[in-house]
Amino acid sequence: MKAHSNTSLKPFHTFGLDVHAKEIIDAQSPEDFLAIWRDDRYKTLPKLIVGEGSNLLFCEDFKGLVVLNRLKGISVSETDTHWHLHVASGENWHELVRWTVEHNMPGLENLALIPGLVGSAPIQNIGAYGVELNDRCEYVDVLHLDSGDILRLSAKECAFGYRDSVFKQSLKHGHVIVAVGLQLEKAWEPVLGYGALSDLAAKPSVSAQAIFDKVCEIRRAKLPDPYVLGNAGSFFKNPVVAASLGNKIKAKYPAMPAYPAGDHQMKLAAGWLIEKAGLKGHKLGGAAVHEKQALVLINTGDASAQDVVQLAKHVVDTVYQSFGVELEHEVRFMGAEEETSLETVCQR
């Protein structure tokens, strides 16, 4: 356990905004988490667990304790059909994906270059290019901060949904993900249904390394490096709308990407809607809609939290006025003491 003398959060979240916490501490073991939560000095303070801060927007200074997840370790066992990985939640997600590909354990390659730590993956049920975390998750180990017990939840018990899980619902508070169990099939089949990977499907055989390299190439071409331009990746979820509304928009814009989502619903591409609404490159203060990928809001260098919030509201309002579709932010909004939302922040 290590306390930081500097309370600036700028190095600990990828938006790189100049906000502060009351105190910042590293947790290097489950016991560290318990010690922090039971320490009389911190009992009355709001607490926030942060990995790499790749999906966070601090809307203002945080008046509490930020605990940085620094749990490390990877172990592997195998059966005749699967590799089973037990991964500590503080491991970097992309480096894990790279490691599995290099060690000939394919299955995660479509999820390359997604920012953040392993412990964040089940919270968001991360997904990309036709694969979601729930497709590969076997279990999640969760530390109950009151009892000190570590509970193992099966993938089914995690209640995974689109960018959703039980960790955003009933287990949102009082629990810490300490490890994730992944199972990778030895009878591997490449997932190439996503349009950007379709050129690989035409080849007689394709390796996990080739998919990994292609995904990295695509993401680097479209998405800004947060160490150059502060951002939190995809800012908005792809909206799921009534099929009647989706078909109405598609009749006017036949080239609009749209996918069936069951129960007379349709999933639309938020980035396409934002771009078609004329917002690509739109700037407000030091914040802007990225010129190459409209789904990403960026800190051009001197953005304030308020700049990003106001830009996000402008994007939501403009897309609704243009298409009747209400976008929902994927990025977590953090207020002074607890998680909040765009709607709540803008009502103040």
Side-chain angles (χ1 to χ4, degrees), residues 17-60:
L17 303 176
D18 189 18
V19 290
H20 287 252
K22 185 176 179 65
E23 195 167 344
I24 304 172
I25 297 180
D26 287 355
Q28 298 170 325
S29 67
E31 291 74 22
D32 282 353
F33 279 107
L34 290 177
I36 291 166
W37 256 256
R38 294 171 179 176
D39 193 314
D40 288 338
R41 292 172 296 173
Y42 307 131
K43 279 190 175 177
T44 61
L45 287 179
K47 299 175 190 69
L48 174 65
I49 299 168
V50 174
E52 293 185 345
S54 58
N55 196 46
L56 282 175
L57 174 65
F58 286 98
C59 302
E60 55 191 305

Side-chain angles (χ1 to χ4, degrees), residues 56-75:
L56 282 175
L57 174 65
F58 286 98
C59 302
E60 55 191 305
D61 287 345
F62 186 68
K63 298 178 180 178
L65 178 66
V66 167
V67 183
L68 302 175
N69 182 350
R70 297 295 182 254
L71 276 60
K72 300 294 182 182
I74 302 172
S75 61

Side-chain angles (χ1 to χ4, degrees), residues 136-199:
R136 307 290 184 259
C137 182
E138 184 173 9
Y139 61 80
V140 177
D141 285 350
V142 183
L143 173 64
H144 192 293
L145 290 165
D146 285 338
S147 69
D149 295 332
I150 293 179
L151 314 174
R152 176 160 292 183
L153 302 182
S154 67
K156 183 177 181 180
E157 290 172 314
C158 292
F160 290 122
Y162 175 58
R163 302 299 174 266
D164 197 16
S165 69
V166 71
F167 309 109
K168 292 177 114 178
Q169 308 298 332
S170 60
L171 298 187
K172 185 174 182 178
H173 302 292
H175 300 80
V176 183
I177 294 173
V178 294
V180 177
L182 301 167
Q183 54 182 357
L184 305 177
E185 287 191 39
K186 291 184 175 180
W188 173 75
E189 292 287 341
V191 178
L192 302 171
Y194 192 89
L197 300 179
S198 58
D199 58 331

Side-chain angles (χ1 to χ4, degrees), residues 288-348:
V289 179
H290 192 242
E291 292 181 347
K292 290 184 179 179
Q293 173 52 272
L295 192 55
V296 178
L297 305 189
I298 60 172
N299 173 4
T300 61
D302 59 351
S304 67
Q306 191 63 18
D307 290 342
V308 181
V309 168
Q310 290 303 316
L311 178 61
K313 185 176 188 309
H314 179 68
V315 169
V316 170
D317 291 347
T318 303
V319 167
Y320 186 78
Q321 291 163 9
S322 301
F323 301 104
V325 175
E326 189 162 356
L327 295 181
E328 180 183 350
H329 53 87
E330 182 175 327
V331 171
R332 295 174 64 198
F333 278 45
M334 298 306 306
E337 297 184 354
E338 60 184 357
E339 188 165 351
T340 183
S341 66
L342 176 62
E343 183 181 15
T344 300
V345 171
C346 291
Q347 285 177 348
R348 293 177 185 171

Side-chain angles (χ1 to χ4, degrees), residues 51-307:
E52 293 185 345
S54 58
N55 196 46
L56 282 175
L57 174 65
F58 286 98
C59 302
E60 55 191 305
D61 287 345
F62 186 68
K63 298 178 180 178
L65 178 66
V66 167
V67 183
L68 302 175
N69 182 350
R70 297 295 182 254
L71 276 60
K72 300 294 182 182
I74 302 172
S75 61
V76 181
S77 61
E78 61 179 297
T79 62
D80 291 341
T81 58
H82 289 82
W83 288 285
H84 300 271
L85 282 65
H86 180 87
V87 188
S89 59
E91 293 285 348
N92 177 274
W93 175 262
H94 174 67
E95 291 307 317
L96 170 68
V97 175
R98 182 197 301 278
W99 186 88
T100 58
V101 172
E102 290 175 349
H103 286 77
N104 298 312
M105 292 182 284
L108 300 179
E109 55 283 343
N110 293 52
L111 304 177
L113 221 59
I114 294 179
L117 300 184
V118 168
S120 303
I123 297 173
Q124 283 290 105
N125 187 24
I126 60 171
Y129 303 105
V131 176
E132 289 188 332
L133 187 279
N134 66 272
D135 299 323
R136 307 290 184 259
C137 182
E138 184 173 9
Y139 61 80
V140 177
D141 285 350
V142 183
L143 173 64
H144 192 293
L145 290 165
D146 285 338
S147 69
D149 295 332
I150 293 179
L151 314 174
R152 176 160 292 183
L153 302 182
S154 67
K156 183 177 181 180
E157 290 172 314
C158 292
F160 290 122
Y162 175 58
R163 302 299 174 266
D164 197 16
S165 69
V166 71
F167 309 109
K168 292 177 114 178
Q169 308 298 332
S170 60
L171 298 187
K172 185 174 182 178
H173 302 292
H175 300 80
V176 183
I177 294 173
V178 294
V180 177
L182 301 167
Q183 54 182 357
L184 305 177
E185 287 191 39
K186 291 184 175 180
W188 173 75
E189 292 287 341
V191 178
L192 302 171
Y194 192 89
L197 300 179
S198 58
D199 58 331
L200 292 178
K203 298 183 178 181
S205 63
V206 60
S207 67
Q209 184 68 58
I211 297 171
F212 175 89
D213 292 341
K214 184 66 174 179
V215 169
C216 290
E217 175 190 331
I218 295 167
R219 291 184 71 90
R220 287 184 175 123
K222 288 185 175 183
L223 301 174
D225 184 340
Y227 296 104
V228 178
L229 287 173
N231 71 88
S234 299
F235 200 92
F236 299 99
K237 297 179 182 179
N238 287 327
V240 176
V241 303
S244 56
L245 175 58
N247 288 326
K248 181 180 177 182
I249 301 171
K250 198 162 181 62
K252 187 174 182 180
Y253 303 100
M256 179 186 72
Y259 310 93
D263 296 328
H264 306 291
Q265 293 184 309
M266 188 179 289
K267 182 184 287 187
L268 309 182
W272 184 93
L273 295 169
I274 296 167
E275 180 176 352
K276 205 67 180 176
L279 293 170
K280 213 173 195 181
H282 183 82
K283 189 174 180 182
L284 196 160
V289 179
H290 192 242
E291 292 181 347
K292 290 184 179 179
Q293 173 52 272
L295 192 55
V296 178
L297 305 189
I298 60 172
N299 173 4
T300 61
D302 59 351
S304 67
Q306 191 63 18
D307 290 342

